[in-house]
Amino acid sequence: MSKLKKLTAFAVTFVMLFAFVLPTGAFTISPDVAGTNYEEAAYVLGALGIMVGDAETGAFRPEDTITRAEFARVSVSVLGLDDVAEASKGQSNFTDVSTDHWANGYINVATSQKLIIGNGDGSFAPEANISYQDAITILVRALGYEPAANSKGGYPNGFLIVATENGLNKNAAGAGSEAVIRGIVANLAYNALTINLMEQTGFGSDAKYEVTDKTILANKLKVEKGSGQITANEYTSISGNTALNDDQIKIDSDKFFKAGNSNAKNYLGYMVTYYAKDNDDGLDKEILLVRPEKSRNKTINIVGSNMHKVEERQVEYWKDKDNDKSPSKARIADNAVMIYNGVYVDYDHNKMFPDGEEIAGNVKLLETNGDDRYDIVFVNEVTNLVVEETVASSFKVIDKYGNTPLTLDPDDSNYKFEIKDADGGQIEFEDLKEWDVLSYTISEDKSLIIVQVSREKVTGKVTEIEDDRYKIGEKSYQKADNYTADIKLQDEGTFYLDALGRIAAADQTASVGTDYAYLVAGNLKTGLDSVVELKLMNSKGEMKIVELNDKVKFNGKNNTEAKDVLTALTSGGKVKAQVITYEVNSANKVNALKTAADKSGESKLVIDKYNFTKNFAGNDVVYKSNSNKLGRFNLNSDTLVFDIPAGAEEDEFAVRDYNMFENDGKYNIEVFDLEEDLTAKIVLVTNSDGKTNLESPIAVVNKITKARDDNGEEIERLYVAYDNKMATFDTKELGLLVKGETGSQKALQQGDVIQFRTNSDGKIEKISVLFDVSAKDTEFTKTISEDMQIVYGKVAKKFPSSMNVTVGESDIENYALENVVVYSYDSTKTSSNVSIKTAGDIQKYDESNPSRVFVRIYKDVVKEVFIVK
């Protein structure tokens, strides 16, 4: 049990300050359904436990199909029979449903209730997709309308007709026998909740069926659906003081509910639709979900810096301060209510813009009666504190800059509080750590404290200052009031941001960069002064020897002796090779280092936004190029790939990007710092074969020169026709741009065709020669892989959108030329020999002016044609 009090109302007041939208409370909706036609249904069904998101990622997957087993679960849950399903486990009536199948109990109940049937051969096909017409049929049965459906023609048309007559398929149209998607199922199930049930009222020869005033929602699930205005919670009300109990809310003037684990507390003053369930204790019903009624709530969010002028009953503000010619205006109702930092106060327009000075926070205006005069004014004014340390015995948080400490004592009955992260999740007092920025509000009567913890930071150098904004990297930041130190041009370090995105703290004494690296080795170097040295490959693929500072922040612990860090990194007598993060100071010494918290062995995927984490380790993980997924993990241009083949020498280690992966290739990997959408920041690969990627475009060599890189090392510079343009690439080192067998290699020449792979710096580190122009009179057909073939031969006939090609004496093959990239090499010219062409430049072979074509086919599609003359 947490020592902290559970704040049961009005946490949203503070969260609104930063997001400018209301969060969803305890039940959150997946981003993949938010804003779609399925959002309302997903909210309600999720709160009722009927349809929820993916257990690992939380994604609702509205466009995915749904299986028969999954729909059996939905149909049983719609009727409130989950407990019965749990009790029905342990036996199976179907050959393909084992007793330990996750849906075994649901399938048993669904079939016993005659909602769904098997295939007639003893099987159920639990993993087969369910069709739209079958989903409709099952829900029509659940509503009791099967007799009506049979009277109209039976399966499937009769059921589809009844569904339309009763609004079951409202916003849920589908194609009869085609697989139905989860979003449509959500809307069907949502509609079913409030359709009047049909029940049998006569039996035997006098069988009758009548539509009742009962619904699944009210009579099966025991859930009340209603609407009204949330007028009070345990802290305050829109009319003044409140006498509500803990965890209680009031809707309108006479309806009392328990807020429970719902989002009701977030909507003080709002007109809402609510869902409430009978409580086991027989007292107030408990709110499961509230949804603000869009047509009855009009809001304006004004960040403090956009306030222009405030009068008694009018607010002037900028929607777009930099571009608006004049401010917008909002009228305030004569009887307007003000909620200041979460608690009712007497209306005072000066609190929105005290003495013409902007507040650090926001003003939110709410209008609920359609008269275009705003009835409720929420003012949220924030104070910052930067954690230096916490004192557990007194529950004090000490500020790094000497400002007033904040006390969050759970035993003090004079106030209540809650500590939240940026997403609204609860943080415990003992989890606060140095450099956390606490942006908090305190109500005027000191009864309510709401704390939002920001762990956002930016590391770099101040490169530009304009008015009160400081540019670091690509963005500019304001400075918060709590940070009084000057910020000057060329200042560098780590800058910590508050919940409003302003600079609230800066560590300019130490780090000038945080980086990922692969730790290779380490040792204690003795001499006049003993120092710990580490050998690592940084994110640029450079092998470096770095020294540890005498005192290091190691895995979050300050002032760790360098030799103790070395000991912690050592296993079996040598430093354990692994992915790390590290920071260096201005003297280029490592002053902070972290090893990954290993969560790869957990039964479910663990994603930690705040700590360096190894999320996954596995072998033979398949890469799919169409979706750019490595197994279930997304890759993008920012994904850093450490290619460390097991047993390889250090000079074979490399840093790459996702282009190293080949379609359907299998890889042994470790994944680090996963984002919530399962995008990997870091992938460690231990079985790379070093091949070039067959998906990559071809490159036609134009010329090669010598150059030096940024470190002064000599390299080669390759000029090529590539990706339908003329381009230039540097090599990682000398000696890469060669062709031929080892021992008889020679330099690439103009007209050669290659594929190449680059490292994370975009430098060529590997090539494959596809065509040697010195053998341009020799025709061939080669299969490079299952996905890629290359052909070199004569054009027998040219058509507007295709061509016939022969290779030697072989039969004619036809190749489509849609969206093809075309290059040309003309050995008879003295300049501009390599050029970019179009499909119109491809001509039939002419003995008097001979030219052949090189064709690359990838996944049965012609990608490039290279005309060789």
Side-chain angles (χ1 to χ4, degrees):
M1 180 72 69
S2 167
K3 292 181 179 179
L4 296 184
K5 300 173 186 177
K6 307 299 184 187
L7 180 65
T8 58
F10 220 83
V12 69
T13 308
F14 189 63
V15 179
M16 284 194 300
L17 176 60
F18 313 113
F20 305 118
V21 294
L22 284 163
T24 57
F27 175 73
T28 57
I29 198 72
S30 171
D32 67 353
V33 78
T36 69
N37 290 332
Y38 315 124
E39 179 179 333
E40 183 73 16
Y43 261 117
V44 174
L45 297 179
L48 296 175
I50 294 171
M51 282 186 77
V52 294
D54 186 275
E56 291 185 348
T57 67
F60 191 84
R61 300 181 286 113
E63 301 300 327
D64 286 3
T65 54
I66 186 168
T67 67
R68 284 168 54 83
E70 290 170 333
F71 196 83
R73 194 266 191 203
V74 170
S75 64
V76 169
S77 296
V78 160
L79 292 175
L81 299 176
D82 293 272
D83 290 343
V84 179
E86 182 65 26
S88 300
K89 290 180 177 179
Q91 62 179 15
S92 177
N93 301 319
F94 300 99
T95 57
D96 54 356
V97 181
S98 63
T99 55
D100 60 354
H101 189 285
W102 72 267
N104 168 246
Y106 290 104
I107 292 171
N108 288 339
V109 173
T111 53
S112 69
Q113 294 287 317
K114 298 183 180 179
L115 300 175
I116 189 169
I117 58 177
N119 293 328
D121 59 358
S123 68
F124 184 81
E127 307 310 320
N129 290 331
I130 196 163
S131 69
Y132 177 75
Q133 63 195 25
D134 284 352
I136 288 281
T137 298
I138 292 165
L139 290 176
V140 167
R141 287 172 178 158
L143 289 164
Y145 283 83
E146 185 168 15
N150 287 334
S151 72
K152 296 178 186 295
Y155 177 84
N157 291 336
F159 289 87
L160 294 170
I161 291 169
V162 168
T164 301
E165 290 176 345
N166 290 278
L168 179 62
N169 57 2
K170 180 182 178 183
N171 297 321
S177 60
E178 292 185 7
V180 66
I181 60 174
R182 285 173 54 84
I184 295 295
V185 168
N187 280 353
L188 290 173
Y190 172 71
N191 293 338
L193 296 177
T194 51
I195 293 173
N196 290 342
L197 297 172
M198 176 176 278
E199 293 184 351
Q200 187 170 0
T201 58
F203 300 88
S205 60
D206 192 28
K208 291 182 180 179
Y209 297 89
E210 295 182 358
V211 177
T212 71
D213 60 358
K214 299 177 182 178
T215 65
I216 287 176
L217 189 67
N219 298 91
K220 302 290 187 182
L221 301 178
K222 307 298 182 186
V223 171
E224 173 189 337
K225 179 181 180 182
S227 63
Q229 183 178 38
I230 297 181
T231 54
N233 56 41
E234 65 180 283
Y235 297 107
T236 197
S237 74
I238 61 174
S239 60
N241 294 330
T242 177
L244 299 188
N245 299 323
D246 286 355
D247 195 36
Q248 199 176 37
I249 67 162
K250 184 166 68 170
I251 294 181
D252 294 334
S253 61
D254 57 351
K255 300 172 188 172
F256 296 87
F257 300 91
K258 285 189 174 181
N261 189 32
S262 76
N263 59 349
K265 55 197 169 188
N266 297 353
Y267 293 101
L268 181 70
Y270 275 71
M271 306 300 297
V272 300
T273 297
Y274 65 86
Y275 297 80
K277 191 174 181 64
D278 287 338
N279 228 325
D280 293 337
D281 59 15
L283 300 176
D284 294 337
K285 290 185 176 182
E286 183 170 327
I287 294 287
L288 299 176
L289 178 75
V290 297
R291 295 283 286 150
E293 298 181 5
K294 293 181 180 179
S295 63
R296 301 179 69 189
N297 299 292
K298 183 178 178 182
T299 60
I300 298 174
N301 283 294
I302 310 168
V303 68
S305 59
N306 283 339
M307 197 68 75
H308 178 255
K309 182 180 179 182
V310 175
E311 297 176 350
E312 179 73 18
R313 297 296 165 187
Q314 183 167 279
V315 174
E316 296 184 11
Y317 64 98
W318 299 101
K319 289 182 179 179
D320 184 346
K321 198 171 185 177
D322 294 330
N323 298 307
D324 288 350
K325 294 182 179 179
S326 59
S328 298
K329 297 178 181 179
R331 293 185 297 173
I332 309 298
D334 291 341
N335 59 346
V337 169
M338 179 170 281
I339 307 293
Y340 177 80
N341 285 351
V343 175
Y344 177 94
V345 295
D346 292 335
Y347 179 82
D348 180 0
H349 69 281
N350 291 308
K351 290 186 182 297
M352 291 184 267
F353 202 34
D355 299 323
E357 295 292 329
E358 65 186 56
I359 60 169
N362 82 312
V363 173
K364 185 181 185 75
L365 308 178
L366 173 64
E367 186 262 301
T368 59
N369 57 16
D371 65 357
D372 213 27
R373 292 178 182 269
Y374 290 86
D375 314 292
I376 305 177
V377 178
F378 299 94
V379 180
N380 304 284
E381 191 164 7
V382 63
T383 301
N384 282 339
L385 180 151
V386 181
V387 178
E388 172 70 14
E389 62 176 328
T390 58
V391 183
S393 59
S394 60
F395 295 98
K396 274 190 186 323
V397 185
I398 307 302
D399 181 63
K400 187 172 284 289
Y401 301 114
N403 295 314
T404 304
L406 181 63
T407 301
L408 302 171
D409 186 352
D411 298 321
D412 192 331
S413 61
N414 292 314
Y415 62 90
K416 294 185 179 182
F417 64 87
E418 190 166 59
I419 310 172
K420 292 286 190 179
D421 64 20
D423 295 325
Q426 183 169 307
I427 293 179
E428 306 295 345
F429 180 89
E430 54 266 29
D431 293 330
L432 296 175
K433 55 189 180 182
E434 185 186 14
W435 295 110
D436 281 349
V437 180
L438 309 189
S439 297
Y440 63 93
T441 61
I442 300 180
S443 62
E444 198 166 66
D445 63 1
K446 314 297 185 190
S447 66
L448 178 61
I449 303 173
I450 302 172
V451 182
Q452 184 170 323
V453 179
S454 172
R455 288 171 174 163
E456 295 297 316
K457 60 185 178 181
V458 57
T459 298
K461 183 182 293 186
V462 178
T463 58
E464 194 174 325
I465 299 176
E466 181 179 4
D467 297 329
D468 60 346
R469 302 189 70 85
Y470 304 86
K471 188 173 183 181
I472 305 167
E474 297 300 316
K475 291 185 178 181
S476 293
Y477 304 87
Q478 285 184 305
K479 188 170 69 168
D481 294 340
N482 71 291
Y483 187 59
T484 58
D486 289 337
I487 300 177
K488 302 181 292 296
L489 278 174
Q490 302 302 306
D491 280 357
E492 57 185 355
T494 298
F495 299 85
Y496 297 87
L497 309 179
D498 69 5
L500 291 168
R502 306 173 303 172
I503 296 172
D507 183 3
Q508 295 174 245
T509 63
S511 72
V512 295
T514 302
D515 200 3
Y516 292 100
Y518 184 75
L519 179 61
V520 177
N523 68 282
L524 180 65
K525 182 180 179 181
T526 58
L528 187 61
D529 293 309
S530 296
V531 295
V532 172
E533 290 184 334
L534 298 180
K535 187 176 188 180
L536 52 83
M537 184 174 66
N538 64 19
S539 61
K540 295 181 179 180
E542 302 165 333
M543 201 66 74
K544 297 283 189 181
I545 303 293
V546 296
E547 288 186 9
L548 294 189
N549 217 20
D550 294 339
K551 302 282 188 179
V552 177
K553 186 175 183 178
F554 180 62
N555 285 339
K557 184 179 179 181
N558 288 319
N559 299 320
T560 306
E561 296 282 348
K563 58 183 178 60
D564 293 333
V565 174
L566 182 63
T567 300
L569 296 172
T570 301
S571 177
K574 63 178 182 179
V575 165
K576 179 184 176 182
Q578 60 187 300
V579 179
I580 62 169
T581 65
Y582 71 102
E583 295 179 351
V584 297
N585 59 21
S586 56
N588 209 33
K589 289 188 175 184
V590 175
N591 70 327
L593 187 148
K594 286 184 180 180
T595 58
D598 190 355
K599 302 294 184 181
S600 61
E602 301 289 336
S603 58
K604 289 186 177 181
L605 197 64
V606 176
I607 297 176
D608 188 335
K609 296 189 298 181
Y610 300 114
N611 297 296
F612 178 40
T613 305
K614 181 165 80 172
N615 311 93
F616 173 84
N619 296 333
D620 295 331
V621 180
V622 178
Y623 176 72
K624 293 293 185 183
S625 59
N626 286 341
S627 59
N628 208 16
K629 281 183 178 288
L630 186 56
R632 56 179 158 161
F633 306 114
N634 298 310
L635 307 181
N636 61 26
S637 58
D638 293 326
T639 302
L640 195 63
V641 182
F642 286 104
D643 184 8
I644 313 292
E649 299 296 326
E650 290 175 14
D651 60 3
E652 297 180 61
F653 294 178
V655 170
R656 313 190 191 282
D657 61 20
Y658 69 87
N659 288 307
M660 74 163 282
F661 298 108
E662 294 187 32
N663 187 50
D664 292 329
K666 295 181 179 180
Y667 300 88
N668 300 342
I669 63 170
E670 295 176 4
V671 177
F672 298 81
D673 279 358
L674 271 178
E675 302 280 6
E676 288 182 302
D677 64 356
L678 298 192
T679 298
K681 285 188 178 179
I682 303 293
V683 177
L684 172 66
V685 182
T686 57
N687 69 332
S688 170
D689 57 13
K691 294 179 181 177
T692 55
N693 193 328
L694 299 180
E695 289 181 85
S696 300
I698 64 169
V700 180
V701 176
N702 189 25
K703 68 176 180 178
I704 299 171
T705 63
K706 294 286 181 67
R708 293 189 181 275
D709 62 17
D710 293 339
N711 297 320
E713 299 292 332
E714 191 172 2
I715 49 102
E716 290 170 301
R717 184 160 290 156
L718 176 65
Y719 294 80
V720 289
Y722 175 83
D723 199 19
N724 212 23
K725 59 183 179 291
M726 304 305 293
T728 306
F729 294 89
D730 288 349
T731 61
K732 175 185 172 184
E733 57 193 0
L734 290 175
L736 292 176
L737 304 181
V738 294
K739 59 185 177 179
E741 299 296 326
T742 303
S744 60
Q745 289 179 328
K746 57 182 180 180
L748 293 177
Q749 66 187 95
Q750 188 181 65
D752 286 339
V753 177
I754 65 172
Q755 285 182 309
F756 58 81
R757 185 176 68 189
T758 60
N759 62 17
S760 59
D761 285 339
K763 295 182 178 180
I764 296 173
E765 60 178 11
K766 183 79 175 179
I767 72 165
S768 296
V769 179
L770 301 181
F771 175 73
D772 186 344
V773 73
S774 63
K776 62 184 176 68
D777 295 328
T778 304
E779 299 177 2
F780 60 82
T781 298
K782 291 181 183 178
T783 298
I784 305 299
S785 75
E786 183 179 342
D787 287 332
M788 189 170 108
Q789 297 81 40
I790 54 177
V791 174
Y792 182 63
K794 302 182 185 74
V795 176
K797 192 165 186 177
K798 173 70 187 319
F799 305 97
S801 59
S802 68
M803 63 180 178
N804 288 346
V805 176
T806 61
V807 177
E809 302 301 321
S810 68
D811 287 340
I812 290 172
E813 294 286 344
N814 179 263
Y815 297 100
L817 298 175
E818 186 177 359
N819 298 322
V820 70
V821 174
V822 182
Y823 305 117
S824 173
Y825 168 67
D826 188 345
S827 62
T828 65
K829 296 173 67 175
T830 57
S831 63
S832 302
N833 303 69
V834 174
S835 59
I836 298 170
K837 300 291 187 181
T838 68
D841 294 301
I842 301 172
Q843 301 296 322
K844 179 181 176 181
Y845 182 81
D846 181 356
E847 287 285 359
S848 64
N849 187 21
S851 64
R852 293 179 172 85
V853 290
F854 170 92
V855 185
R856 183 175 78 98
I857 306 105
Y858 183 75
K859 289 188 175 181
D860 300 321
V861 176
V862 175
K863 294 296 185 180
E864 297 102 355
V865 173
F866 174 44
I867 304 168
V868 181
K869 185 175 181 180

